[in-house]
Amino acid sequence: MRVVCILAILLSFSDAEPILSFLTDGENKTSTSLENKDQKLDDLSILRQMINQETVIRLALVKNVHALVNDVILMKKSLAASEARVNGQLQTIDALNIQLNSLQQENNELKNSSSISEARIMELETKLQSVNENYGTLHDKLNVIQKDSDDKRREMYNKTHSVLDDIKIEVRYLSVTLLDFKESTETENESRDKKYEELERYFTNSFEELKAKIVQNKLNLTNNKVLIQNLDDSQSDIRETFTEILSRTVTKFETQLKTSEYEQLKLSSAVASLEVANMNLSRLNCDKSNHHAFTAGISTRNADWTGGTLVFPVVIYSVGTGYNPSTGIFTAPTAGTYVFYVSVQSAHQKYIYLDIVLNGSSKVRAMAWYRSGSSISIYQTGTNLVILHLQTGDRVWVKRAFGTGYYSDSAPVTTFSGFKLY
């Protein structure tokens, strides 16, 4: 590059040489000397054109090489990112395979359990099918990612191959041009030496200009360094962004894994509950005389009711003895653990608090609460449930604590239920 710059400066001074010669000693020139100068100018023009052609070819070659290097770097980054994603997906598939094997083992154990748990096992099989579908979906996504990675790799290979072919063609063309240039240079060495002697006079005068151009080149080099630093910063940002996305993906898969483990724990808990319920039902079926359960309701509404004990006269279901629909009181026929539930709906824009009472002592409260002042037609529902251990003869009923009125219908809305647990 330095030789090219010097040659350009020398050529610029060579253009000025005829004018200077004309001003200094033009009177002594003959027609023969003018023809010699014209020949020299033609030679210099040819040399300038050849140098310019070589410079253009060199610049194009450098530009193509830089583009090829950038494409190779991008291809390496893309391949690394694809491999990282594929490794993450493979790890996830291994984890899902382990979970699937575990769930299949639990499914086999559940199939060997009692026939009463068969409905729950069917639900578990449905969930296992859903897991298999998720596994299939994940496998399809992995195939898609692998296909995209292969396509990108193939595309980068084709692009690189094409660029290399172009570079080879340009190198061949440059070689031919350089050979031609060498031949023409050898034929003009003698005349060029003479021209160099003439140009040496101008080189001393142009030294300051050359220094200025060197300073400008240094400034350009500094600017290029700044651009390279900016490029490094942008690559760092892209790397941080990719790392963040990868971390988010890993976190998402970890969350899904924890959710799957939590679902598995819930299934195990549900199976254990079914087994306990099965044992309780089996024990209760062995002693039908110990069954006591009822559900009673009210088929009419009363917006102004302010009584004490709320009577539920409509018996919806009753087995065994204990509940009296006339008084609304349940009397325990046998000792044991009982469950009681009350549901009440308030009257229009009113509130009502009902307590479940054991032998006159309030245990829990259902609140159908409403704040006054609204013009909206509003009803509120209050519910509550209590588990009590009763002795034979203990009494349980529902009484009003606060409020006025209740709402019900022919299909009872306000109800009272109870049954013996064991």
Side-chain angles (χ1 to χ4, degrees), residues 214-241:
I214 291 173
V215 172
Q216 184 64 34
N217 288 333
K218 288 183 178 179
L219 292 175
N220 292 334
L221 180 61
T222 304
N223 293 331
N224 290 333
K225 287 182 179 180
V226 172
L227 291 175
I228 292 172
Q229 183 63 36
N230 292 333
L231 181 61
D232 292 337
D233 294 339
S234 63
Q235 289 178 352
S236 300
D237 295 337
I238 292 172
R239 193 179 296 108
E240 291 177 358
T241 303

Side-chain angles (χ1 to χ4, degrees), residues 142-387:
L142 180 61
N143 290 334
V144 171
I145 292 172
Q146 184 67 33
K147 182 178 179 182
D148 292 339
S149 178
D150 293 339
D151 293 339
K152 290 180 179 178
R153 190 183 295 109
R154 194 177 300 108
E155 181 182 357
M156 293 299 295
Y157 175 77
N158 294 333
K159 186 175 179 181
T160 303
H161 188 69
S162 176
V163 172
L164 287 174
D165 291 339
D166 294 338
I167 291 175
K168 288 178 181 179
I169 293 171
E170 292 178 359
V171 169
R172 291 194 191 99
Y173 178 74
L174 182 60
S175 299
V176 173
T177 305
L178 289 175
L179 288 174
D180 295 338
F181 177 73
K182 183 178 179 181
E183 291 176 358
S184 62
T185 303
E186 288 176 354
T187 59
E188 296 175 0
N189 280 334
E190 185 176 354
S191 62
R192 188 169 59 247
D193 291 338
K194 293 180 181 179
K195 293 174 184 179
Y196 284 157
E197 291 176 359
E198 295 175 356
L199 291 173
E200 282 178 0
R201 292 177 299 170
Y202 301 100
F203 180 74
T204 304
N205 296 329
S206 62
F207 182 72
E208 294 298 329
E209 295 181 359
L210 183 61
K211 276 172 132 188
K213 289 185 177 181
I214 291 173
V215 172
Q216 184 64 34
N217 288 333
K218 288 183 178 179
L219 292 175
N220 292 334
L221 180 61
T222 304
N223 293 331
N224 290 333
K225 287 182 179 180
V226 172
L227 291 175
I228 292 172
Q229 183 63 36
N230 292 333
L231 181 61
D232 292 337
D233 294 339
S234 63
Q235 289 178 352
S236 300
D237 295 337
I238 292 172
R239 193 179 296 108
E240 291 177 358
T241 303
F242 177 75
T243 304
E244 183 179 355
I245 293 172
L246 182 61
S247 299
R248 269 189 255 165
T249 304
V250 171
T251 303
K252 181 179 178 181
F253 281 116
E254 289 178 352
T255 304
Q256 291 178 353
L257 178 61
K258 290 181 180 179
T259 303
S260 177
E261 293 176 351
Y262 177 69
E263 291 294 332
Q264 182 179 354
L265 291 174
K266 287 205 302 186
L267 286 175
S268 300
S269 177
V271 170
S273 299
L274 285 174
E275 291 177 351
V276 172
N278 184 26
M279 293 174 60
N280 292 333
L281 289 174
S282 300
R283 185 170 60 184
L284 291 175
N285 287 331
C286 294
D287 186 11
K288 292 185 179 180
S289 62
N290 198 33
H291 292 180
H292 302 286
F294 73 95
T295 293
I298 302 174
S299 59
T300 59
R301 68 195 73 176
N302 189 343
D304 299 321
W305 178 76
T306 57
T309 300
L310 183 58
V311 179
F312 298 84
V314 180
V315 177
I316 300 171
Y317 175 81
S318 179
V319 62
T321 60
Y323 180 70
N324 188 343
S326 299
T327 61
I329 298 174
F330 175 81
T331 303
T334 58
T337 300
Y338 290 78
V339 178
F340 295 96
Y341 175 81
V342 63
S343 176
V344 59
Q345 188 169 39
S346 65
H348 178 246
Q349 294 186 347
K350 293 184 178 180
Y351 71 91
I352 183 73
Y353 295 175
L354 295 181
D355 293 351
I356 296 178
V357 179
L358 170 60
N359 297 329
S361 175
S362 296
K363 297 300 180 183
V364 295
R365 176 168 296 171
M367 299 172 56
W369 183 81
Y370 167 75
R371 180 184 292 275
S372 62
S374 175
S375 60
I376 301 173
S377 179
I378 187 169
Y379 296 83
Q380 298 290 341
T381 300
T383 62
N384 213 331
L385 180 145
V386 64
I387 299 175

